[in-house]
Amino acid sequence: KDIFLLKKLILDMILELNTVAKTMFGYESNNYKQETLNTHIFDKSQDKYYLHKKALNDSRMVQECDIQFKKKDGTLFWGHLESMVVHEKSSIIYRIMLSDITARMEAKKRLIEEELKLKLVLNSTGSGIYSIDTNGICNYVNQSTLAILGYDTDDELLGKSRHSTLHHSHEDGTV
């Protein structure tokens, strides 16, 4: 389940975390003061976070992105950031709502792995297999289908009407 929190930052310095945020990052009290948000962003997500901040500063519009964070103990989790710039007194404050999306990202990774396994099985068979959506548009072909029908790449079939590419006759019965 997603957990939401609100943060206030000035130049990436964390000014305020709610109780949920403290727990999420592994703090027991207010010992997060003088820390930057960057210290909690996983190394491989730093570039994406930089681009998120740049877009936020350039546009002054709400910005969203998904990146990996590090807890105080180094444990990683996925978060969805929704950031906005707010003028408070004479300072520019960043208000960030963070949602823990670790479960969703892990499920997405498992789905991608399962799709890859299925494609490996479908491509290992000698039978031609293809699928179409409810509009008759081809959305999958295996290698055997390409070989049987004489196509070089799946781009020649994907996204096209099955009838226009694989038909044996026209709708009026002529060849």
Side-chain angles (χ1 to χ4, degrees):
K1 186 175 182 179
D2 287 349
I3 301 171
F4 297 96
L5 58 107
L6 180 67
K7 298 168 116 185
K8 288 167 53 173
L9 297 97
I10 294 182
L11 298 174
D12 267 349
M13 191 70 62
I14 300 171
L15 299 178
E16 187 180 313
L17 294 175
N18 68 4
T19 305
V20 174
K22 289 177 194 173
T23 303
M24 188 182 286
F25 285 110
Y27 292 108
E28 296 173 13
S29 61
N30 288 340
N31 58 350
Y32 60 84
K33 300 286 185 180
Q34 303 304 312
E35 289 215 15
T36 65
L37 185 59
N38 277 345
T39 62
H40 292 289
I41 295 174
F42 182 52
D43 296 342
K44 291 182 180 179
S45 291
Q46 288 287 343
D47 289 344
K48 192 169 185 179
Y49 178 63
Y50 170 79
L51 294 173
H52 172 81
K53 284 191 321 187
K54 183 173 180 356
L56 180 64
N57 287 321
D58 290 350
S59 71
R60 299 290 196 222
M61 307 273 297
V62 173
Q63 298 294 318
E64 297 182 46
C65 74
D66 298 336
I67 58 176
Q68 272 190 296
F69 290 90
K70 295 183 291 192
K71 293 184 179 188
K72 190 174 160 190
D73 68 3
T75 306
L76 298 179
F77 70 95
W78 279 96
H80 175 78
L81 286 178
E82 187 174 324
S83 308
M84 67 183 75
V85 176
V86 179
H87 296 278
E88 200 171 278
K89 298 180 184 172
S90 62
S91 300
I92 294 177
I93 304 285
Y94 298 97
R95 293 196 189 272
I96 299 177
M97 185 168 62
L98 174 64
S99 178
D100 185 339
I101 59 167
T102 303
R104 183 176 78 197
M105 295 302 278
E106 288 172 354
K108 181 179 178 180
K109 181 181 175 191
R110 284 191 304 274
L111 180 61
I112 290 169
E113 289 169 354
E114 291 302 315
E115 286 176 349
L116 180 59
K117 286 179 191 175
L118 179 59
K119 283 185 180 181
L120 288 172
V121 168
L122 292 174
N123 279 328
S124 69
T125 181
S127 300
I129 300 171
Y130 69 94
S131 67
I132 58 172
D133 64 17
T134 56
N135 296 315
I137 304 299
C138 182
N139 55 21
Y140 175 79
V141 294
N142 70 353
Q143 295 301 313
S144 294
T145 301
L146 297 175
I148 291 167
L149 298 175
Y151 289 99
D152 294 321
T153 66
D154 59 3
D155 291 338
E156 297 174 84
L157 296 173
L158 293 178
K160 297 186 172 97
S161 165
R162 180 203 45 85
H163 185 75
S164 66
T165 56
L166 304 174
H167 71 278
H168 57 82
S169 62
H170 294 285
E171 290 181 21
D172 65 4
T174 60
V175 178

